[in-house]
Amino acid sequence: MKDAILAHLRYGLGKDASHSSVYDWRMALSHALRDRAVDHWIPSTQTTYARKAKRVYYLSMEFLIGRLVEDMAANLGATEEARAALAELGQDFDTLVRDEPDAALGNGGLGRLAACFMDSLATLGIPAMGYGIRYEHGLFEQDFVDGQQIEKPETWLSQKHAWEFERPEVQYSITFGGHVEHHDGRAHWHPHETVFATAHDTPVIGWQGRWGNTLRLWSAQPVKIFDLASFNRGDYLAASRSEALARTICRVLYPDDTTETGKELRLKQEYFFTAASIQDLIRRFLVTHDDIRRLDEAAAIQLNDTHPAIAGPELVRLLVDVHGLGMGEAIDLARRCLGYTNHTLLPEALERWPEWLFGRVLPRHLEIIREIEATQQAEFAGSPRILDHGNVQMGELAFIMAHKVNGVSALHTDLVKQTLFSDLHRIHPTRIINQTNGITPRRWLHTCNPALSGLITGAIGDGWVADLEQLKALKGKTGDAAFLSDFMAAKRHNKERLSNWVQQTLGQSIDPDAMFDVQIKRIHEYKRQHMNILETIALWNEMKANPGAGWQPRVKIFGGKAAPGYHVAKEIIHLINDVATVINNDPATKDLLQIVYPPNYNVTMAEMLIPAADLSEQISTAGKEASGTGNMKFALNGALTIGTLDGANVEIREHVGAENFFLFGLTAQEIMEARKQPGFARATIEKSPRMQRVLQQIAEGRFSPGDASRYHGFVGNLWDHDYFCVSLDFDNYYDTQRRADEAFGHRDAWAAMALTNTAGMGWFSSDRTIQGYARDIWDVGPADAKTLE
Ligand SMILES: CCc1ccc([C@H](C)CC(=O)N[C@@H]2O[C@H](CO)[C@@H](O)[C@H](O)[C@H]2O)cc1
């Protein structure tokens, strides 16, 4: 390892050790690790080709990867070797790890799930390729100015991306616009605009280097790089116009995670990467097969939500217009290849493109969608339509073009059947299945929590890393006082690590003895960060009223970004920071209650916050959070959950035991009922003196001195609308928090409950989830059974 690092420093960066920067050392280390990755990657690809093994193609607009040095070193089993080699060279492994920018190519849950899935596919030895976009700028960088979110462009590519290999030879033409002519029995698309899609490959190595898969991200290049004539005319902008236009396609990730933008560029992004991916997988198929009609035997294509749903019409277009299949035959073949995962029920998140816009960008595809619609209507009269009220409904398109549709938790899948796709479910009663989400235990326990994973491995060996159900063996330790104290010592270690970081970066001191109560996720009304801050104010009021009541000291930790155009979410951020300013500086309570809100929450910050958490906030309005995956990460790392019966909370509570979960709130059914009562919020708040007082304080500007009316709209909205039913769950939430306080006071009992959570989380490994997809949707297995020995 040492020689490899020095060689990369010298020949890869042209540097000698004495003149190298942290960046140079990090790049040299990364390339030394990448060498080893390649040694697993190439044989895996060769085996897949040799065995004509079926591949999974995971199409996603987002891959929320985070950093890769630690993850790659861990999966290669090279962490200690790298740490030692660097030490010999006078370098510190952790310093280099901290120098790597996050690959923030995603918004939240959907993007992170895709990254966890890639890790599990490789660890299970299932041949797979992730297809996405190589955004020049990932999710914006968040900062706070006067407590308000501001966005700055993210710049991960301002430095070379250490792990990728550019593939200039893997290039496809992607066309947009224009018109379609029909003659000699065929459709001829005459596009208006063409760009090139070029591949950039990153190796994805499984645990213990068992197998190597590829993450292929596309970037856009102009067909005509430079217009010399314009340049010579001095029209420099025109000279690089085509380049600028092409570059725009992959320039930036859309930062919305629940509201479809309807922007033409977003549609072009979706078509760009999907079309390149479909062309690429057909080219690969034809390397080892000659009958395109058997594509479904070699390719399982999964749509990560509706964002790549154009894959259906695109596949049909190529099968009909290029490979000469009949329309019906092409539609059936495409359906046998495609699976579609739904990740949200929020109406505003469902993609509906105006037909005029869709037809302008993709005229041939609109024709094909009409064919698909006609076929569906012919076979299933009265079936819900794709083309509805002048919109192209991407959910219906994805459903109709997939042989399997899945939700991401048991409750969510039931709600998808009962609400979103109830009519299609009636027509296709076996098409919707459930695949409850999961998380990779490599990043989310082994690598981010060495203190706890070391303890676990010491007790039961390290088999759990690739077989998480083995954690069950820890159940037997809940009565073992010595193990329990080691378990809590690991938690303590992580809390001290976090306290030091908060002190260094925010200049705020937090007490590791306090309960660390953490809510980290995108800011959204359905996730109810505002209910959390209202409860915090109510607690503060009670503490001030009864300072001597033996309060359980608490640190409320928030993290999360709001979509730039989502004003209520930005208001919630402002309120949290305003309340923090007042409460954190209140001499009467500052040792009992602190609020911490570090800006720019991302994967790397989650890896530090989650191991240090005592209490995990999963408080969404029941029926709104499709699954959640943060909830799984917290419980796996020994935090107790305070939560509603929503998404995967339901299944977590089943696996860890109801007695080890702080449940509160109305069920999804009860919420739907209660919301029917006009004025339910006002009636409920009038019965809650605690909530009334808190809303009054906010409304009168207690937390916005000099701007009393700042939250009038916010408070008024709760009294008059409260769509996410904070009023209905608030007092139950407050009381349940007090139950948690009480429980936290009994350290041994708490430790046993926390350990029982960790022990009960085996099922939530993304390895189990992927095995479900492989069995129920993709019909694939490891290319080389030996992989799993
Ligand atoms: C078109 C804009 C847009 C972009 C992203 C999305 C995603 C579907 C939002 C998302 O990340 N959903 C989350 O997916 C996770 C993985 O399945 C779930 O665990 C979360 O509950 C769900 O909110 C919707 C709409």
Side-chain angles (χ1 to χ4, degrees), residues 109-110 256-257 259-260 266 305 307 343 437 526 625-628:
L110 170 141
D256 312 277
D257 77 328
T259 311
E260 64 110 9
R266 167 80 181 190
D305 217 279
H307 313 153
H343 296 269
N437 282 164
Y526 86 80
E625 189 70 87
S627 163

